[in-house]
């Protein structure tokens, strides 16, 4: 049943993901298909993405989860990566880790009425045709130093086994990766999730050793026999964890994906004697191999992971860590293996207010995704993180257009039509069974309603999306449309646009019901924007009512 549900969910996602990429004019053209894995990281630490604050009721926790999942689905994402173990805690019912403090405000306190957030998220994701990957941090115990440590639940493994814990120079506490008991703890925690929840993946990010100054010399003296240096021993400790997780997870459920999202640079090709790696990338940045003791290239070559998602958080053309250089290096690394390559995208950098910044607006992200489409080994993208997709002007709209825009999918035609029409190019039934989409040889689309057999005219909601059909002819409209009362924008595939819309160098804003904002202020993502009578957003000027807005259009308070 578990695999059947996952197959059905994948089929639903695939049926809605026959998409057309929107590529900026500055990027190279490509006819390749869109990446199959499009995911969003949802952070729970510090209540960054979910829940919005501690102490929410069960109904509020459900409502926020539904909103995030709905938005991810509407943007064309195929997966959500939910942080279920931000520190040594859990957003699920665990016999190993205490309930997370980010739910109730106090670690160890369970949600009311037996509510299990992870169970709800898994069911909600699958109902929408999305995958749900459980994101765990293997070693981290605290993020706010002693204040966090002193508030740990008595059920936290760090409290029960203080000899497993090391305090690092940043003031935070970490489980000691050199201890076999710690390795077993992490593996057991992942296995518990796979056994008890219908997750599609177990996901780890780049929190391995926090740095080179880790106080583990006593552990090295006990377990480091046979290693020429403490550095090699530390790397092997992480290698063993990855290898054991791979075996344990797939022993329970071979269909579950095991993926890791490391720092974007494995190692630099050249550098000082201690850090020169002939197989490294032509970069000059920090290196996961040396700084975090994460031999990510080895994990790929050994096949210990199902996917790798390097966090390439630099723009194309960066001086020391060029995005294109790294994307192609990783593509070459996975070539010939069965490990999928998804790129971790720095959405959080987009929307910089300075026009001189490479992250001004969203062009850096647009160009990176366009580049990804030209590299066949890149089979997906993961965006960091959810709130930035909503608050950076243009991102949500861009992903909606990029990941969901379509010239209408063309499934198999109905078998043996009784009266073939030579003018019809293709036709098929809408998912909600309200009628038939028909495309004529001239490219025009119409919709024949099942209720009365007539062609749709004016507004009609089909498959939960609004379309406009011209009166009399019934032809589906695209582009700007005045319906006698308001301006609307219909995307190239006909669906009504909402939210931000960029045309040329001009931003517009369409309300949730589709109408264009005109002669008014609009509150978006906690910031106020002004729109002129023609709908264009005011920027770097004084508005007609005397208020100054910056280059991004936001009111300067």
């Amino acid at each position: 049943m578990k695999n059947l549900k996952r197959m059905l969910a994948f089929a639903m996602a695939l049926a809605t993901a026959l998409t057309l990429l929107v590529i900026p004019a500055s990027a190279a053209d490509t006819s390749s298909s869109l990446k199959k894995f499009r995911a969003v990281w949802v952070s729970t630490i510090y209540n960054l993405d979910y829940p919005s604050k501690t102490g929410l009721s069960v109904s509020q926790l459900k409502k926020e989860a539904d909103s995030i999942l709905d938005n991810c689905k509407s943007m064309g994402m195929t997966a959500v990566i939910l942080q279920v173990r931000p520190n040594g805690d859990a957003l699920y019912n665990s016999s190993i880790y205490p309930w997370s403090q980010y739910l109730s405000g106090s670690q160890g306190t369970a949600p009311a009425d037996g509510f299990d957030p992870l169970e709800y998220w898994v069911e909600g994701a699958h109902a929408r045709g999305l995958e749900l990957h459980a994101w765990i941090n293997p070693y981290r115990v605290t993020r706010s130093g002693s204040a966090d440590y002193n508030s740990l639940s008595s059920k936290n493994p760090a409290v029960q086994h203080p000899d497993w814990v090391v305090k690092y120079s940043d003031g935070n506490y970490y489980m000691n990766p050199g201890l076999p008991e710690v390795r077993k703890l992490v593996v057991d925690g992942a296995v518990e999730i796979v056994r008890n929840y219908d997750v599609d993946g177990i996901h780890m990010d780049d929190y391995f050793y926090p740095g080179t100054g880790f106080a583990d010399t006593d552990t090295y003296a006990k377990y480091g026999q046979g290693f020429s240096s403490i550095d090699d021993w530390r790397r092997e400790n992480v290698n063993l964890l990855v290898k054991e997780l791979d075996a344990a997870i797939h022993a329970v459920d071979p269909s579950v994906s095991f993926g890791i999202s490391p720092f974007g640079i494995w190692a630099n090709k050249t550098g000082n004697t201690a850090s020169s790696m002939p197989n490294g990338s032509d970069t000059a940045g920090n290196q996961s191999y040396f700084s975090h003791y994460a031999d990510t290239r080895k994990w790929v070559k050994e096949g210990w992971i199902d996917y790798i998602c390097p966090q390439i958080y630099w723009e194309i053309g960066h001086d020391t860590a060029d995005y294109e250089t790294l994307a192609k290096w990783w593509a070459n690394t996975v070539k010939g293996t069965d490990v999928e390559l998804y790129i971790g995208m720095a959405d959080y950098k987009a929307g910089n207010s300075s026009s001189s910044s490479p992250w001004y607006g969203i062009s850096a992200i647009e160009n990176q995704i366009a580049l990804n489409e030209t590299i066949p080994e890149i089979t997906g993208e993961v965006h960091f993180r959810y709130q930035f997709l909503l608050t950076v002007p243009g991102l949500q709209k861009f992903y909606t257009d990029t990941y969901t825009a379509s010239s209408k999918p063309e499934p198999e035609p109905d078998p043996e039509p009784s009266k073939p029409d030579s003018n019809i190019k293709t036709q098929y039934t809408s998912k909600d069974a309200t009628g038939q989409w028909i495309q004529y040889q001239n490219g025009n689309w119409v919709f024949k309603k099942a209720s009365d057999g007539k062609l749709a005219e004016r507004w009609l909601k089909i498959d939960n999306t609004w379309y406009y059909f011209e009166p009399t002819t019934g032809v589906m409209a695209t582009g700007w449309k005045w319906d006698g009362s308001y301006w609307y924008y219909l995307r190239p595939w006909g669906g009504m646009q909402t939210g931000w819309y960029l045309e040329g160098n001009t931003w517009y804003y369409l309300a949730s019901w589709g109408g264009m904002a005109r002669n008014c202020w609009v509150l978006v993502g906690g910031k106020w924007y002004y729109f002129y009578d023609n709908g264009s957003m005011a920027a770097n000027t004084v508005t007609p009512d005397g208020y100054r807005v910056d280059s991004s259009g936001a009111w300067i308070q």
Side-chain angles (χ1 to χ4, degrees), residues 260-437:
I260 295 180
S261 179
F263 185 74
I265 301 174
W266 170 67
N268 301 314
K269 180 186 299 185
T270 58
N272 58 48
T273 303
S275 62
S276 296
M277 300 288 281
N279 292 320
S281 52
D282 190 13
T283 51
N286 200 355
Q287 306 162 88
S288 64
Y289 183 89
F290 295 101
S291 302
H292 301 296
Y293 303 99
D295 194 352
T296 53
R297 183 177 181 275
K298 182 179 181 67
W299 307 340
V300 172
K301 296 301 185 182
E302 296 290 343
W304 292 339
I305 51 180
D306 296 305
Y307 67 84
I308 193 155
C309 181
Q311 298 168 21
I312 309 182
Y313 287 172
W314 306 273
E315 70 275 7
I316 295 173
H318 190 278
D319 290 343
T320 59
D322 172 49
Y323 180 95
E324 182 173 0
T325 297
L326 284 164
K328 291 180 177 178
W329 183 89
W330 282 104
N332 185 63
T333 297
V334 302
K335 188 178 295 185
T337 74
D338 60 358
V339 177
E340 299 285 350
L341 172 58
Y342 310 145
I343 303 297
M345 309 291 293
D347 297 69
Y348 73 96
K349 286 187 173 181
N352 191 292
S353 60
S354 172
S355 59
S356 63
S357 169
W359 294 95
Y360 178 71
I362 62 171
S363 60
I365 293 289
E366 291 176 318
N367 292 334
Q368 287 173 342
I369 289 182
L371 174 66
N372 293 351
E373 287 302 304
T374 69
I375 304 174
E377 290 80 13
I378 298 176
T379 55
E381 292 140 0
V382 183
H383 302 278
F384 187 81
R385 56 182 171 78
Y386 173 73
Q387 285 296 333
F388 291 102
L389 273 60
L390 302 187
T391 58
V392 175
L395 268 186
Q396 184 174 11
K397 180 264 177 191
F398 171 65
Y399 291 131
T400 301
D401 283 356
T402 302
Y403 287 152
T404 70
S406 172
S407 56
K408 295 291 182 253
E410 299 182 8
E412 291 294 323
D414 294 337
E416 298 181 5
S418 56
K419 293 182 179 180
D421 186 338
S422 60
N423 289 324
I424 294 178
K425 181 179 180 181
T426 188
Q427 62 185 43
Y428 66 95
T429 303
S430 62
K431 295 184 186 66
D432 58 13
T434 57
Q436 284 267 323
W437 281 105

Side-chain angles (χ1 to χ4, degrees), residues 477-482 487-495 501 503:
T478 60
W480 287 106
K481 182 65 187 178
W482 173 259
W487 281 104
Y488 299 81
Y489 184 78
L490 292 311
R491 288 175 281 186
W493 53 275
Y501 172 64
E503 188 173 85

Side-chain angles (χ1 to χ4, degrees), residues 51-307:
S52 61
K53 59 182 178 180
T54 60
L56 295 182
S57 66
V58 170
S59 63
Q60 290 172 317
L61 289 170
K62 290 181 177 180
K63 184 178 180 180
E64 289 193 357
D66 288 339
S67 176
I68 294 173
L69 290 169
D70 284 341
N71 282 334
C72 290
K73 178 66 175 178
S74 70
M75 284 186 280
M77 301 300 167
T78 63
V80 171
I81 300 177
L82 177 67
Q83 190 177 32
V84 299
R85 197 186 307 150
N87 292 332
D89 53 1
L91 270 82
Y92 55 94
N93 189 10
S94 172
S95 62
I96 300 173
Y97 296 94
W99 283 100
S100 175
Q101 70 188 72
Y102 302 112
L103 291 170
S104 66
S106 176
Q107 193 176 94
T109 301
D113 304 323
F115 176 65
D116 190 320
L118 179 54
E119 181 179 46
Y120 189 82
W121 275 80
V122 170
E123 292 176 354
H126 290 174
R128 294 165 175 83
L130 299 169
E131 293 185 17
L132 193 289
H133 292 228
W135 167 15
I136 63 176
N137 296 93
Y139 302 130
R140 188 172 65 195
V141 177
T142 68
R143 275 294 296 269
S144 299
S146 297
D148 267 2
Y149 191 78
N150 294 333
S151 66
L152 297 180
S153 164
S154 60
K155 296 181 180 179
N156 193 300
V159 174
Q160 296 177 337
H161 303 280
D163 53 319
W164 295 1
V165 178
V166 173
K167 185 177 182 181
Y168 190 58
S169 58
D170 63 359
N172 283 305
Y173 296 80
Y174 300 84
M175 288 291 184
N176 187 346
L179 295 174
E181 300 90 341
V182 168
R183 217 164 43 240
K184 183 177 185 302
L185 174 73
V186 177
V187 172
D188 288 348
V191 167
E192 180 184 49
I193 295 173
V194 175
R195 281 179 175 159
N196 296 334
Y197 299 90
D198 190 19
V199 296
D200 300 278
I202 294 294
H203 178 96
M204 292 201 308
D205 58 4
D206 58 346
Y207 284 94
F208 300 106
Y209 278 89
T212 58
F214 201 73
D216 58 352
T217 52
D218 290 345
T219 313
Y220 175 55
K222 183 176 181 179
Y223 294 104
Q225 296 86 353
F227 291 90
S228 59
S229 71
I230 193 171
D231 297 325
D232 289 341
W233 171 72
R234 287 173 176 170
R235 270 185 289 275
E236 182 60 13
N237 292 333
V238 182
N239 288 343
L240 287 172
L241 174 69
V242 173
K243 185 177 181 179
E244 290 170 12
L245 278 168
D246 172 53
I249 290 168
H250 293 125
V252 176
D253 189 341
S255 70
V256 171
S257 293
F258 172 41
I260 295 180
S261 179
F263 185 74
I265 301 174
W266 170 67
N268 301 314
K269 180 186 299 185
T270 58
N272 58 48
T273 303
S275 62
S276 296
M277 300 288 281
N279 292 320
S281 52
D282 190 13
T283 51
N286 200 355
Q287 306 162 88
S288 64
Y289 183 89
F290 295 101
S291 302
H292 301 296
Y293 303 99
D295 194 352
T296 53
R297 183 177 181 275
K298 182 179 181 67
W299 307 340
V300 172
K301 296 301 185 182
E302 296 290 343
W304 292 339
I305 51 180
D306 296 305
Y307 67 84

